[in-house]
Amino acid sequence: MRTENLIDALTNDLTPVRRLRAPGPTTILWLAITLPALALVTLMMGPRPNLAALWLRPGFALDEALAGFSAIIAAYAAFCAGRPDQPGWKLALPVGMMLIWFGVLGRQCLLLSASTQGGALRIHTDIACIPAIAVAGIVPAMAMVILLRRSPLFRTTHACLCGAMAAAAAAEFSLRLFHSADSFATLLVWQMGSVVLFTLGGSAIGRAILGRLRPRRTTLGTAS
């Protein structure tokens, strides 16, 4: 058989391969799954009675905006990490965003502490926020695993870490809509500590799951 005929025979019998979504559209799809789930959790837990007034406070609105942006950027980085056609510098975006988020919260805590004679630095036990973040983050985390499973699983560790960070930040965004902290120090230690704990634990679990559930087909898409 001539080489040209062999190539034609092989190409004619090939099954068309569906291209993967770019990181941007995949992030939008993750948000489309995550936002209704967070809204449902908030309604089930019961929104805070003063929620409308809280949104008018610059500090609360800024904290929620930082949590939301952290979730979006971390999700985008996770989907970039799963693709070899994406540059490595995008993986540092969630770290920078989280540092800004933690820095803003720390500054607010110090300013409030100065105005309340140290009252904002009093730490109260708030164990309830740990399971609350886990409950709020379970759907975003599951959606992240499912979407990452459709990627080539390049840089698996980074993808799992960024994906878990996205789910944890999304859960923290939802948590403050139905759960309040007694002080800013309690917020930093318990709520933000729970975010870190969820991120590390979720990353390890996600890596184990993705290690077993390998996609049947992997293709490269275009970078967004």
Side-chain angles (χ1 to χ4, degrees):
M1 179 180 292
R2 297 178 57 184
T3 304
E4 294 80 1
N5 295 335
L6 176 61
I7 294 175
D8 290 339
L10 291 175
T11 54
N12 290 333
D13 293 337
L14 287 177
T15 303
V17 178
R18 180 175 55 85
R19 298 177 64 185
L20 293 174
R21 296 185 185 90
T26 308
T27 303
I28 294 175
L29 178 59
W30 179 78
L31 286 173
I33 300 172
T34 296
L35 292 179
L38 295 181
L40 180 60
V41 170
T42 302
L43 291 176
M44 291 177 60
M45 299 298 293
R48 295 167 64 173
N50 58 340
L51 185 58
L54 286 174
W55 280 110
L56 299 178
R57 297 181 183 178
F60 181 86
L62 177 60
D63 296 342
E64 289 292 84
L66 290 174
F69 280 123
S70 296
I72 295 173
I73 291 176
Y76 178 76
F79 299 127
C80 289
R83 301 164 59 102
D85 62 336
Q86 293 294 322
W89 62 264
K90 291 185 178 182
L91 305 183
L93 294 177
V95 178
M97 192 67 219
M98 289 290 287
L99 290 177
I100 294 174
W101 185 17
F102 276 56
V104 170
L105 288 177
R107 180 178 179 274
Q108 291 178 355
C109 181
L110 292 177
L111 292 177
L112 188 58
S113 175
S115 63
T116 58
Q117 290 76 44
L121 294 179
R122 297 173 183 172
I123 301 177
H124 305 278
T125 303
D126 193 10
I127 299 178
C129 67
I130 299 178
I133 286 181
V135 170
I138 189 170
V139 172
M142 291 176 61
M144 181 64 65
V145 169
I146 293 173
L147 293 174
L148 283 177
R149 183 173 177 261
R150 298 176 179 271
S151 75
L153 294 183
F154 185 68
R155 303 189 189 105
T156 306
T157 299
H158 295 84
C160 291
L161 184 61
C162 292
M165 186 184 300
E172 171 64 15
F173 176 89
S174 175
L175 176 68
R176 298 199 65 192
L177 299 179
F178 60 82
H179 181 78
S180 61
D182 295 327
S183 66
F184 251 97
T186 302
L187 173 78
L188 285 173
V189 173
W190 285 95
Q191 294 190 12
M192 300 308 295
S194 299
V195 170
V196 174
L197 180 64
F198 188 90
T199 298
L200 297 177
S203 175
I205 295 173
R207 182 173 172 78
I209 293 175
L210 289 177
R212 294 186 177 183
L213 301 178
R214 295 289 181 180
R216 296 179 180 177
R217 298 176 186 170
T218 57
T219 57
L220 296 182
T222 56
S224 63

